[in-house]
Amino acid sequence: MTEPPPIAAIIALGITQIIGYGTLYYSFSILAPDMSRDLGWPSEAVFGALSAALLIGGLMAPALGKWIDRFGAGRIMTAGSAIAAAALVACALAPGRISFVAALIGIEAASNLVQYGAAFALLVQIRPQAAQRSITYLTLIGGFASTIFWPITTMLHAEMSWQQVYLVFAGLNLIICLPIHAVLSRQMRRNRERSGKASPARRVEGTLAASARRMGFVLMALSFSLQSLVSSAILVHMVPLLSGLGLGATAALVGTFFGPSQVLSRLTNMLFGVNLPPLKLAIIAATLMSAAVFLLIPTAPSVAGAIAFAVVFGLGNGLFSIVTGTLPLLLFGSDGYGKMQGRVMAARLIVSAVAPFALAYLIGSIGVVWSLALTSAAGVLAVLVLVAIGQLARNGSASEAAATQTSN
């Protein structure tokens, strides 16, 4: 009998994901202009500081993944909420540039402790057999973070300074997220104590053969990194890219189609993609993202073409968030899931930190069209790498079957 997903835990984590992404990630672009003014920095320097913080956060991710396996994701997320609140306060009260950058690094470190990577690990630890569906449901809820927090941040910032907004956001992490994570952590420990040795949580076995796991991990990390490159580069430059292709002021309006499309793809997958293997879903996601970027080249400056790009890109990016949690579980199983997520997250965050600057350099050097073509090609390469993972899995299964038959 299939285990039901832990609905209460998913809803609770969904609330913390909305707050976590909204306060620690989506709010930054809205508050950055005033940060730049108060620090006496050009806006490029402020975003450069964010990229540096992302880079350092990526380097820290493998250690954080080990802590999740060792201490439990619930405890790590509880500590992460406290660190997030403290880092937001430190950023708001930073007296100068150095302390501001240090606090920003703290925010990015806290993000790794409370956002999807840690939340996926917690769902795997709570109920491994139901984790794939649980992750899908969680990303559906978390997909509303930008829809909710972009207007909330804008409204708050109309009445407050960016420092005061960050203090309010620190309160949300401390008063709402920390208690939720603490309760989930306590419940998980109680469940384990009740079950004891007589009824341990059922593990999920990975589908990759032991001999193929090293190469499988390298390929998976490469495919995720390539997709993160496409996602990060395009999302940061979406409005300037569309403007540069001739859409002018319409570019900002077109960008609003991205968020709802993410939610739509996750909802569609939840309703109709229950039996779709994560590897196929990953291939679909990478294909949609690559196709969306390429679609801009022949259709610009058509508004209809730009809207199609935003919708298709949103669909692909929405599915990509799901497969970053479900594909590692399928290929490698539930044992050591936190450590594996930390290693993959490190590669993704490092690429995400560099990608916006790389695309900006390409646009300045070879123009928008060729830059889009190369970005789309990176997405195509991700598809080919995912296909190679499928072939690796089939070869491993065939080898194991042959070895079993020989021994018999």
Side-chain angles (χ1 to χ4, degrees):
M1 184 176 177
T2 304
E3 281 190 285
I7 298 299
I10 293 168
I11 293 172
L13 277 175
I15 294 170
T16 70
Q17 292 306 288
I18 289 173
I19 294 173
Y21 275 97
T23 61
L24 304 175
Y25 182 72
Y26 287 114
S27 64
F28 187 85
S29 61
I30 295 172
L31 303 176
D34 277 7
M35 293 176 179
S36 173
R37 182 199 64 202
D38 290 350
L39 291 167
W41 269 356
S43 59
E44 293 84 358
V46 172
F47 280 99
L50 176 64
S51 293
L54 282 168
L55 189 62
I56 295 172
L59 295 174
M60 294 170 61
L64 300 179
K66 292 179 182 178
W67 295 347
I68 286 172
D69 284 335
R70 182 177 178 181
F71 301 110
R75 288 180 176 177
I76 293 300
M77 294 188 79
T78 303
S81 294
I83 296 170
L88 286 166
V89 171
C91 199
L93 302 180
R97 298 174 180 178
I98 295 176
S99 54
F100 172 82
V101 173
L104 207 56
I105 292 170
I107 289 174
E108 292 309 319
S111 297
N112 293 339
L113 297 174
V114 299
Q115 291 177 351
Y116 276 152
F120 293 164
L122 180 56
L123 291 174
V124 170
Q125 291 173 357
I126 290 174
R127 202 164 294 173
Q129 294 289 332
Q132 287 193 18
R133 280 184 297 153
S134 299
I135 288 170
T136 300
Y137 297 160
L138 179 62
T139 56
L140 176 64
I141 301 172
F144 289 98
S146 61
T147 306
I148 292 172
F149 265 86
W150 274 336
I152 284 178
T153 305
T154 301
M155 286 188 292
L156 287 175
H157 194 35
E159 304 295 331
M160 305 176 179
S161 66
W162 70 267
Q163 292 95 334
Q164 291 170 325
V165 173
Y166 261 12
L167 291 176
V168 171
F169 288 169
L172 293 178
N173 281 276
L174 196 62
I175 297 170
I176 298 178
C177 296
L178 190 149
I180 289 176
H181 293 151
V183 168
L184 289 174
S185 178
R186 193 179 306 116
Q187 286 180 347
M188 190 173 70
R189 290 199 303 273
R190 286 177 180 173
N191 291 341
R192 285 181 174 179
E193 288 170 2
R194 289 196 195 102
S195 63
K197 294 182 179 179
S199 179
R202 288 193 292 165
R203 299 162 58 247
V204 174
E205 297 290 343
T207 57
L208 274 183
S211 59
R213 291 200 166 190
R214 181 182 294 273
M215 178 56 69
F217 178 82
V218 170
L219 292 174
M220 184 183 71
L222 176 59
S223 69
F224 282 177
S225 296
L226 287 167
Q227 290 179 81
S228 293
L229 184 152
V230 175
S231 176
S232 178
I234 294 297
L235 285 178
V236 170
H237 293 286
M238 182 179 288
V239 174
L241 265 176
L242 295 174
S243 298
L245 289 170
L247 273 84
T250 314
L253 177 62
V254 169
T256 61
F257 285 87
F258 170 78
S261 299
Q262 281 197 118
V263 175
L264 176 62
S265 67
R266 294 168 185 171
L267 179 61
T268 302
N269 179 64
M270 185 183 76
L271 295 175
F272 305 109
V274 177
N275 298 319
L276 189 66
L279 184 57
K280 289 185 178 179
L281 193 65
I283 291 172
I284 292 171
T287 301
L288 287 172
M289 291 167 70
S290 177
V293 176
F294 185 80
L295 186 64
L296 276 176
I297 298 174
T299 60
S302 162
V303 173
I307 291 175
F309 148 76
V311 170
V312 175
F313 194 77
L315 293 173
N317 203 67
L319 296 178
F320 178 49
S321 297
I322 297 173
V323 298
T324 57
T326 59
L327 186 58
L329 184 64
L330 169 78
L331 297 177
F332 303 100
S334 56
D335 289 346
Y337 182 86
K339 178 182 178 181
M340 180 171 47
Q341 275 284 14
R343 292 167 64 193
V344 173
M345 196 186 304
R348 291 183 56 209
L349 287 174
I350 290 169
V351 170
S352 296
V354 174
F357 286 97
L359 183 58
Y361 175 79
L362 286 174
I363 291 173
S365 301
I366 60 177
V368 174
V369 171
W370 281 107
S371 299
L372 289 174
L374 288 176
T375 305
S376 180
V380 172
L381 183 56
V383 174
L384 296 177
V385 172
L386 289 167
V387 171
I389 292 175
Q391 187 62 46
L392 186 69
R394 286 189 291 273
N395 291 343
S397 298
S399 298
E400 283 193 347
T404 303
Q405 190 174 18
T406 302
S407 63
N408 291 337

PDB file of all heavy atoms in Angstrom, residues 207-209 212 216 279 330-331 387-399:
ATOM      1  N   THR A 207      17.853   3.670  -7.861  1.00  0.00           N
ATOM      2  CA  THR A 207      17.761   2.811  -9.047  1.00  0.00           C
ATOM      3  C   THR A 207      19.100   2.621  -9.746  1.00  0.00           C
ATOM      4  O   THR A 207      19.249   1.701 -10.543  1.00  0.00           O
ATOM      5  CB  THR A 207      16.762   3.405 -10.060  1.00  0.00           C
ATOM      6  OG1 THR A 207      17.172   4.742 -10.394  1.00  0.00           O
ATOM      7  CG2 THR A 207      15.359   3.454  -9.473  1.00  0.00           C
ATOM      8  N   LEU A 208      20.076   3.487  -9.456  1.00  0.00           N
ATOM      9  CA  LEU A 208      21.378   3.335 -10.092  1.00  0.00           C
ATOM     10  C   LEU A 208      22.174   2.211  -9.429  1.00  0.00           C
ATOM     11  O   LEU A 208      22.206   2.115  -8.197  1.00  0.00           O
ATOM     12  CB  LEU A 208      22.191   4.633 -10.005  1.00  0.00           C
ATOM     13  CG  LEU A 208      21.987   5.689 -11.091  1.00  0.00           C
ATOM     14  CD1 LEU A 208      22.931   6.863 -10.862  1.00  0.00           C
ATOM     15  CD2 LEU A 208      22.193   5.123 -12.484  1.00  0.00           C
ATOM     16  N   ALA A 209      22.828   1.391 -10.246  1.00  0.00           N
ATOM     17  CA  ALA A 209      23.700   0.353  -9.711  1.00  0.00           C
ATOM     18  C   ALA A 209      24.881   0.987  -8.979  1.00  0.00           C
ATOM     19  O   ALA A 209      25.291   2.108  -9.293  1.00  0.00           O
ATOM     20  CB  ALA A 209      24.202  -0.535 -10.844  1.00  0.00           C
ATOM     21  N   ALA A 212      27.664   2.420 -10.970  1.00  0.00           N
ATOM     22  CA  ALA A 212      27.353   3.565 -11.834  1.00  0.00           C
ATOM     23  C   ALA A 212      27.092   4.845 -11.056  1.00  0.00           C
ATOM     24  O   ALA A 212      26.858   5.894 -11.648  1.00  0.00           O
ATOM     25  CB  ALA A 212      26.140   3.241 -12.706  1.00  0.00           C
ATOM     26  N   GLY A 216      27.001   8.654 -12.286  1.00  0.00           N
ATOM     27  CA  GLY A 216      25.635   9.170 -12.269  1.00  0.00           C
ATOM     28  C   GLY A 216      25.540  10.482 -11.511  1.00  0.00           C
ATOM     29  O   GLY A 216      24.846  11.412 -11.941  1.00  0.00           O
ATOM     30  N   LEU A 279      13.148  11.250 -13.925  1.00  0.00           N
ATOM     31  CA  LEU A 279      14.119  11.487 -14.996  1.00  0.00           C
ATOM     32  C   LEU A 279      13.429  12.041 -16.242  1.00  0.00           C
ATOM     33  O   LEU A 279      13.933  12.972 -16.880  1.00  0.00           O
ATOM     34  CB  LEU A 279      14.878  10.205 -15.333  1.00  0.00           C
ATOM     35  CG  LEU A 279      15.994  10.341 -16.375  1.00  0.00           C
ATOM     36  CD1 LEU A 279      17.023  11.381 -15.944  1.00  0.00           C
ATOM     37  CD2 LEU A 279      16.668   8.998 -16.636  1.00  0.00           C
ATOM     38  N   LEU A 330      15.366   9.317  -6.539  1.00  0.00           N
ATOM     39  CA  LEU A 330      15.159   8.180  -7.442  1.00  0.00           C
ATOM     40  C   LEU A 330      16.468   7.461  -7.735  1.00  0.00           C
ATOM     41  O   LEU A 330      16.556   6.236  -7.657  1.00  0.00           O
ATOM     42  CB  LEU A 330      14.530   8.668  -8.755  1.00  0.00           C
ATOM     43  CG  LEU A 330      14.503   7.621  -9.881  1.00  0.00           C
ATOM     44  CD1 LEU A 330      13.372   6.632  -9.664  1.00  0.00           C
ATOM     45  CD2 LEU A 330      14.370   8.288 -11.248  1.00  0.00           C
ATOM     46  N   LEU A 331      17.505   8.219  -8.059  1.00  0.00           N
ATOM     47  CA  LEU A 331      18.759   7.615  -8.517  1.00  0.00           C
ATOM     48  C   LEU A 331      19.584   7.023  -7.386  1.00  0.00           C
ATOM     49  O   LEU A 331      20.210   5.969  -7.547  1.00  0.00           O
ATOM     50  CB  LEU A 331      19.599   8.654  -9.269  1.00  0.00           C
ATOM     51  CG  LEU A 331      18.994   9.223 -10.566  1.00  0.00           C
ATOM     52  CD1 LEU A 331      19.911  10.293 -11.140  1.00  0.00           C
ATOM     53  CD2 LEU A 331      18.750   8.122 -11.592  1.00  0.00           C
ATOM     54  N   VAL A 387      19.691  12.417 -20.698  1.00  0.00           N
ATOM     55  CA  VAL A 387      19.510  11.204 -21.505  1.00  0.00           C
ATOM     56  C   VAL A 387      20.631  10.210 -21.215  1.00  0.00           C
ATOM     57  O   VAL A 387      20.395   8.991 -21.108  1.00  0.00           O
ATOM     58  CB  VAL A 387      19.464  11.556 -23.006  1.00  0.00           C
ATOM     59  CG1 VAL A 387      19.490  10.290 -23.857  1.00  0.00           C
ATOM     60  CG2 VAL A 387      18.219  12.381 -23.329  1.00  0.00           C
ATOM     61  N   ALA A 388      21.848  10.713 -21.045  1.00  0.00           N
ATOM     62  CA  ALA A 388      22.982   9.846 -20.716  1.00  0.00           C
ATOM     63  C   ALA A 388      22.797   9.173 -19.358  1.00  0.00           C
ATOM     64  O   ALA A 388      23.200   8.017 -19.164  1.00  0.00           O
ATOM     65  CB  ALA A 388      24.277  10.659 -20.723  1.00  0.00           C
ATOM     66  N   ILE A 389      22.176   9.884 -18.407  1.00  0.00           N
ATOM     67  CA  ILE A 389      21.889   9.271 -17.104  1.00  0.00           C
ATOM     68  C   ILE A 389      20.928   8.095 -17.277  1.00  0.00           C
ATOM     69  O   ILE A 389      21.104   7.034 -16.662  1.00  0.00           O
ATOM     70  CB  ILE A 389      21.290  10.320 -16.141  1.00  0.00           C
ATOM     71  CG1 ILE A 389      22.335  11.377 -15.782  1.00  0.00           C
ATOM     72  CG2 ILE A 389      20.771   9.649 -14.867  1.00  0.00           C
ATOM     73  CD1 ILE A 389      21.789  12.517 -14.942  1.00  0.00           C
ATOM     74  N   GLY A 390      19.913   8.276 -18.119  1.00  0.00           N
ATOM     75  CA  GLY A 390      18.975   7.198 -18.388  1.00  0.00           C
ATOM     76  C   GLY A 390      19.663   5.987 -18.982  1.00  0.00           C
ATOM     77  O   GLY A 390      19.390   4.844 -18.600  1.00  0.00           O
ATOM     78  N   GLN A 391      20.584   6.218 -19.910  1.00  0.00           N
ATOM     79  CA  GLN A 391      21.336   5.127 -20.527  1.00  0.00           C
ATOM     80  C   GLN A 391      22.228   4.444 -19.508  1.00  0.00           C
ATOM     81  O   GLN A 391      22.355   3.207 -19.485  1.00  0.00           O
ATOM     82  CB  GLN A 391      22.181   5.676 -21.690  1.00  0.00           C
ATOM     83  CG  GLN A 391      22.884   4.595 -22.513  1.00  0.00           C
ATOM     84  CD  GLN A 391      21.898   3.650 -23.172  1.00  0.00           C
ATOM     85  OE1 GLN A 391      20.911   4.077 -23.765  1.00  0.00           O
ATOM     86  NE2 GLN A 391      22.145   2.346 -23.044  1.00  0.00           N
ATOM     87  N   LEU A 392      22.830   5.234 -18.634  1.00  0.00           N
ATOM     88  CA  LEU A 392      23.684   4.687 -17.575  1.00  0.00           C
ATOM     89  C   LEU A 392      22.877   3.784 -16.650  1.00  0.00           C
ATOM     90  O   LEU A 392      23.345   2.705 -16.246  1.00  0.00           O
ATOM     91  CB  LEU A 392      24.316   5.834 -16.788  1.00  0.00           C
ATOM     92  CG  LEU A 392      25.352   5.468 -15.722  1.00  0.00           C
ATOM     93  CD1 LEU A 392      26.619   4.939 -16.373  1.00  0.00           C
ATOM     94  CD2 LEU A 392      25.679   6.690 -14.866  1.00  0.00           C
ATOM     95  N   ALA A 393      21.665   4.213 -16.302  1.00  0.00           N
ATOM     96  CA  ALA A 393      20.800   3.415 -15.436  1.00  0.00           C
ATOM     97  C   ALA A 393      20.421   2.102 -16.104  1.00  0.00           C
ATOM     98  O   ALA A 393      20.417   1.038 -15.469  1.00  0.00           O
ATOM     99  CB  ALA A 393      19.550   4.211 -15.069  1.00  0.00           C
ATOM    100  N   ARG A 394      20.092   2.163 -17.393  1.00  0.00           N
ATOM    101  CA  ARG A 394      19.718   0.938 -18.112  1.00  0.00           C
ATOM    102  C   ARG A 394      20.896  -0.019 -18.228  1.00  0.00           C
ATOM    103  O   ARG A 394      20.744  -1.231 -18.041  1.00  0.00           O
ATOM    104  CB  ARG A 394      19.185   1.293 -19.499  1.00  0.00           C
ATOM    105  CG  ARG A 394      17.779   1.903 -19.481  1.00  0.00           C
ATOM    106  CD  ARG A 394      17.210   2.021 -20.883  1.00  0.00           C
ATOM    107  NE  ARG A 394      17.920   3.024 -21.663  1.00  0.00           N
ATOM    108  CZ  ARG A 394      17.620   4.315 -21.683  1.00  0.00           C
ATOM    109  NH1 ARG A 394      16.620   4.767 -20.943  1.00  0.00           N
ATOM    110  NH2 ARG A 394      18.301   5.167 -22.434  1.00  0.00           N
ATOM    111  N   ASN A 395      22.080   0.509 -18.522  1.00  0.00           N
ATOM    112  CA  ASN A 395      23.261  -0.344 -18.636  1.00  0.00           C
ATOM    113  C   ASN A 395      23.598  -1.006 -17.303  1.00  0.00           C
ATOM    114  O   ASN A 395      23.968  -2.181 -17.244  1.00  0.00           O
ATOM    115  CB  ASN A 395      24.467   0.481 -19.109  1.00  0.00           C
ATOM    116  CG  ASN A 395      24.327   0.934 -20.548  1.00  0.00           C
ATOM    117  OD1 ASN A 395      23.509   0.395 -21.300  1.00  0.00           O
ATOM    118  ND2 ASN A 395      25.106   1.918 -20.950  1.00  0.00           N
ATOM    119  N   GLY A 396      23.458  -0.221 -16.213  1.00  0.00           N
ATOM    120  CA  GLY A 396      23.738  -0.767 -14.891  1.00  0.00           C
ATOM    121  C   GLY A 396      22.778  -1.885 -14.524  1.00  0.00           C
ATOM    122  O   GLY A 396      23.177  -2.911 -13.977  1.00  0.00           O
ATOM    123  N   SER A 397      21.493  -1.682 -14.849  1.00  0.00           N
ATOM    124  CA  SER A 397      20.485  -2.697 -14.550  1.00  0.00           C
ATOM    125  C   SER A 397      20.746  -3.964 -15.358  1.00  0.00           C
ATOM    126  O   SER A 397      20.624  -5.086 -14.846  1.00  0.00           O
ATOM    127  CB  SER A 397      19.080  -2.165 -14.871  1.00  0.00           C
ATOM    128  OG  SER A 397      18.782  -1.039 -14.075  1.00  0.00           O
ATOM    129  N   ALA A 398      21.129  -3.794 -16.627  1.00  0.00           N
ATOM    130  CA  ALA A 398      21.415  -4.948 -17.477  1.00  0.00           C
ATOM    131  C   ALA A 398      22.628  -5.714 -16.961  1.00  0.00           C
ATOM    132  O   ALA A 398      22.637  -6.955 -16.942  1.00  0.00           O
ATOM    133  CB  ALA A 398      21.655  -4.483 -18.914  1.00  0.00           C
ATOM    134  N   SER A 399      23.645  -4.977 -16.502  1.00  0.00           N
ATOM    135  CA  SER A 399      24.859  -5.628 -15.990  1.00  0.00           C
ATOM    136  C   SER A 399      24.559  -6.415 -14.722  1.00  0.00           C
ATOM    137  O   SER A 399      25.044  -7.530 -14.535  1.00  0.00           O
ATOM    138  CB  SER A 399      25.936  -4.576 -15.701  1.00  0.00           C
ATOM    139  OG  SER A 399      26.297  -3.902 -16.886  1.00  0.00           O
TER     140      SER A 399
END
